[in-house]
Amino acid sequence: FSSADMPAGSVIQVVQVVKTDSFSSSTNGYVDVTGLTASITPTSSSSKILVMATVSGGNPLNGNFTINLLRNSTNICQSTSAVDNSTAALPYGVNYLFTSVPITFLDSPATTSATTYKIQINTFGTTGYVNIRSTDQYYGGTSQITLMEIAS
């Protein structure tokens, strides 16, 4: 019984990465979040990959914090309607903000080669944190990426 015999919509395989430690960036530009990268090798080029990610973090006071989802080095699920486009964003920075942002995207990579999905963030030159509150680094949480290969 191979994956090719499975009915459309069946889950063929699941990969999950959970980040429990913190990460910070003060870069004006997108940077990879260490530990928020997951790889999957589709069994069929017609398979879809359901990407479910959650990014927890704290925005710098009076600062912006945007998030991109990438397949290998290509941005996917990205806005085209703004000056600075991204997949998602944390709310504008206020004192003691700590929140989680869910991202869900059904991708069609059309390959049977190993495919990597990752999260990048941009804090526009102010210091923002993943998995911990920016104001005082007091409250922490987790972030994760789950990949599900779906038969089509």
Side-chain angles (χ1 to χ4, degrees), residues 40 42 44-51 69-72 74-77 104-113 115 117 147-152:
I40 192 167
S44 169
S45 60
S46 64
S47 291
K48 309 259 189 231
I49 304 297
L50 180 61
V51 183
L69 172 65
L70 288 85
R71 180 202 325 117
N72 299 322
T74 302
N75 289 316
I76 56 175
C77 186
T104 304
F105 183 68
L106 186 62
D107 191 31
S108 302
T111 186
T112 55
S113 298
T115 305
Y117 294 86
L147 307 175
M148 301 175 69
E149 181 183 2
I150 309 294
S152 60

Side-chain angles (χ1 to χ4, degrees), residues 5 47 78 81 116 120 138 146-147 152:
D5 300 321
S47 291
Q78 189 177 57
S81 61
T116 299
Q120 291 185 333
Y138 188 81
T146 302
L147 307 175
S152 60

Side-chain angles (χ1 to χ4, degrees), residues 20-147:
T20 59
D21 60 340
S22 65
F23 175 87
S24 67
S25 175
S26 56
T27 301
N28 187 1
Y30 283 95
V31 295
D32 293 354
V33 176
T34 305
L36 270 183
T37 299
S39 294
I40 192 167
T41 303
T43 59
S44 169
S45 60
S46 64
S47 291
K48 309 259 189 231
I49 304 297
L50 180 61
V51 183
M52 295 174 290
T54 301
V55 180
S56 297
N59 214 353
L61 180 62
N62 298 325
N64 293 299
F65 186 123
T66 56
I67 302 163
N68 269 342
L69 172 65
L70 288 85
R71 180 202 325 117
N72 299 322
S73 59
T74 302
N75 289 316
I76 56 175
C77 186
Q78 189 177 57
S79 170
T80 59
S81 61
V83 174
D84 182 10
N85 294 297
S86 61
T87 303
L90 290 179
Y92 186 74
V94 296
N95 267 326
Y96 305 108
L97 174 71
F98 183 75
T99 190
S100 297
V101 175
I103 298 167
T104 304
F105 183 68
L106 186 62
D107 191 31
S108 302
T111 186
T112 55
S113 298
T115 305
T116 299
Y117 294 86
K118 64 182 177 180
I119 295 293
Q120 291 185 333
I121 64 168
N122 185 0
T123 57
F124 300 89
T126 56
T127 304
Y129 292 82
V130 172
N131 285 354
I132 200 163
R133 188 165 74 179
S134 290
T135 308
D136 55 8
Q137 294 82 59
Y138 188 81
Y139 290 109
T142 64
S143 298
Q144 57 273 328
I145 298 178
T146 302
L147 307 175

